[in-house]
Amino acid sequence: MSKPSTTGIRLNTRQPALAEAVELLSSMRFAIALLVMIAISAIIGTIMQQNRAMPDYINQFGPFWFEVFNKIGLYAVYSAWWFLLMMGFLVVSTTLCIIRNTPKMIKDMRSWRENVREQSLRNFHHKAEWQSGLGRDALAQEMAQRLSHAGYQAKIVPKEHGTLVAAKRGAANKFGYIFAHTAIVVICIGGLLDSDMPIRFQEWVLGKKPFAGSGLIADIPAQHRLSVNNPTFRANSMIPEGQASNTAVIPRADGVLIQELPFTIQLKKFNIDFYSTGMPKLFASEVTVHDPENGKTFSSVIEVNKPLIYKGLAVYQSSFEDGGSKLKLTGFPMQGAKADQFAIAGEVGGSTPLNEAYTVEWSDFRPFNVENLAGEDARAVTKGENLNEALSKQLGSAAKNANNKDLKNVGPSVQYKLRDKTGQAREYQNYMQPITVDNATVFLAGVRSNPGEPFSYLRIPADEEHSVREWMRLRAALHDPALRAKAAAAYARRAMPSSGNAETMRAQLEQSALKSLEIFAGDDKAAGFVAVTEFLRKVPEQEQAKAADIFMKILNGTLWELWQASREQAGLKALEGTEQQGRFLQLATNALADSFFYKAPVYLQLEEFTQVKASVFQVTRSPGKNVVYLGCLFLVLGVFAMFYIRERRLWIWLRDDESGSHALMAMSTQRKTLDFEREFNELKEKLPQSA
């Protein structure tokens, strides 16, 4: 006796499992769950800025959460594997739904639903009955003709004991569901065609790797380059005026890929207009395109929303940047007792060695800055408020002051980083011209430790020559022990003229004055008013107010003498002690106190510049764009069919009676609306009369 085969059993167990899987994938609950997850992912991708530099995310979230979010792929949600997997499942689910339900819908659209009985029609909510003197066949022809005039398709179906007139209208409503579901599939496919899947495929299969180094684009190896036949990409190309490029850069999480272009773009001129608020009004690029394949050369103007389309590529005007402006600056020491100034030059985008310990990296240059300088009083950090928080009431983006009339161009500014040997850097922003803030003319010197932070501003008072030299001399003198001692002695002599019994008190006052300067000059831990506050905390609490008043009087008087000593050392005449000079000393004192937080070895003052503008283009190849447009067309047709086409079914059952014929009409629809009620009432009135 042979053994029973187990093949059939395996098939029978697999078949239900496959059917259940297909049922799940094509079910409504599965599709809704996918759409909810995709919507949540899209919200995350909208809230969290995508594809930014990794240091920005580290500064924002910290090292731990940066790694967590990086593993999840939240920095590039729309290209993350799990997001693409969800999109793939959505395509599969919707496709299976279309495959399963489309034949049924088309069959139902073609069906007349003629297998009804007289008794079932009596159970309809919308029904009507009447008598007619016409014979059953004649009445059936009459009903079919009248329904055809009303826009219905009608069919006469002979029955065993009567005649059925079946009619339908708006059966194309079901095309709405077919088109809407097809639109989802088509749009998703178009989106996947325009995603970075082709680029990832080249990384996985062809060994392409992002380039994480620096140097000339022409020297980057082939493994970091994508060919001109790359099917889809979205890249950026920054071109300074007068220069050309035939490559673009595709940012990746761990570097960039170089995309070769089939033509060369040369930027002849970049034009930009501004609103009175300082916001860009219009910017456009005059370019020349060189095609090495056919030798064709032509000119074009690329504006926002007016791209250049050539060889299947779209070149959009994305933004603008500095293209390497030439800068000449004067440097002033911000540490130690030296006040010797020196010249330094740089180019935006490049770097300049400052000394053995620091390098200047030139970040940006702005030829003018339109700011709002009206508003509340802006205090220094010693008042317990961050300089930038206070100055933001007067300074900042002009976009938020579009309706404010107190706008002024405060002139050029330069932005740079000072990087030490360990790789640590702080960023600085200095304005070229003095700015009037709180009725005081000052030079603003901004500083921040992280790119994600706002700038805090040191306010250096401008002297009579509208420069920072007077303050720089005073700063250097504060850190010169010899000048501090000289100033303390001068203050003591001025405060207590020589007499027989005043020598001891004058010596004590001189020591107090010298001590006040030493405390105010500070050390690596504290300086300025912070150091003064720490010193006064050692005084008994009930005497702190009196001690603070005495200390500040001595400090202010000694700083005046220190100022005179610094001028004498520079060969300048003594000051007369006017109110204007007193105001300068007050501002200078505040700036000296705040300079402890500036933490820079030098202050760089912009003197001359030669601006070079650059245009940033976004170069794209989007084969899925037309596919998405087709999907949008399907979606519009589907929505229109679902909401504006109403399916109605109507049956009239005719049978013979003593006076001629008896008619029973019943009508149904998927959505009962006021229009349906009105149409039913009209047919209920007109059809009996027509007979």
Side-chain angles (χ1 to χ4, degrees), residues 411-424:
S413 66
V414 61
Q415 195 167 316
Y416 58 90
K417 293 180 181 179
L418 285 180
R419 191 174 301 277
D420 59 22
K421 287 185 176 181
T422 64
Q424 300 297 316

Side-chain angles (χ1 to χ4, degrees), residues 509-570:
L509 181 59
E510 181 178 342
Q511 291 298 318
S512 298
L514 181 60
K515 183 66 175 178
S516 68
L517 289 180
E518 291 175 349
I519 293 173
F520 191 73
D523 50 28
D524 294 337
K525 296 181 179 179
F529 295 129
V530 174
V532 173
T533 301
E534 292 181 357
F535 172 77
L536 293 175
R537 285 176 180 171
K538 301 176 183 178
V539 179
E541 185 175 356
Q542 62 273 17
E543 299 180 8
Q544 285 183 0
K546 181 179 179 181
D549 183 62
I550 296 174
F551 187 96
M552 292 307 300
K553 287 181 178 179
I554 295 176
L555 177 63
N556 290 333
T558 312
L559 283 174
W560 171 266
E561 297 298 338
L562 183 66
W563 186 11
Q564 308 309 309
S566 67
R567 290 180 59 86
E568 180 181 353
Q569 186 183 52

Side-chain angles (χ1 to χ4, degrees), residues 342-416:
F342 58 92
I344 186 173
E347 180 179 323
V348 175
S351 61
T352 304
L354 181 65
N355 50 38
E356 295 180 356
Y358 290 93
T359 299
V360 185
E361 298 176 358
W362 308 101
S363 305
D364 194 15
F365 165 76
R366 297 180 62 181
F368 69 91
N369 298 267
V370 178
E371 307 290 359
N372 174 22
L373 297 180
E376 302 176 5
D377 184 32
R379 300 296 181 182
V381 291
T382 51
K383 297 291 183 178
E385 184 177 22
N386 181 279
L387 272 175
N388 187 70
E389 294 174 350
L391 287 171
S392 65
K393 302 171 185 176
Q394 285 78 28
L395 300 173
S397 172
K400 63 184 180 182
N401 303 308
N403 298 322
N404 196 302
K405 303 302 181 181
D406 299 312
L407 300 174
K408 183 180 179 181
N409 177 17
V410 297
S413 66
V414 61
Q415 195 167 316
Y416 58 90

Side-chain angles (χ1 to χ4, degrees), residues 140 148 253 315 481 604:
S148 178
V315 183
L604 301 181

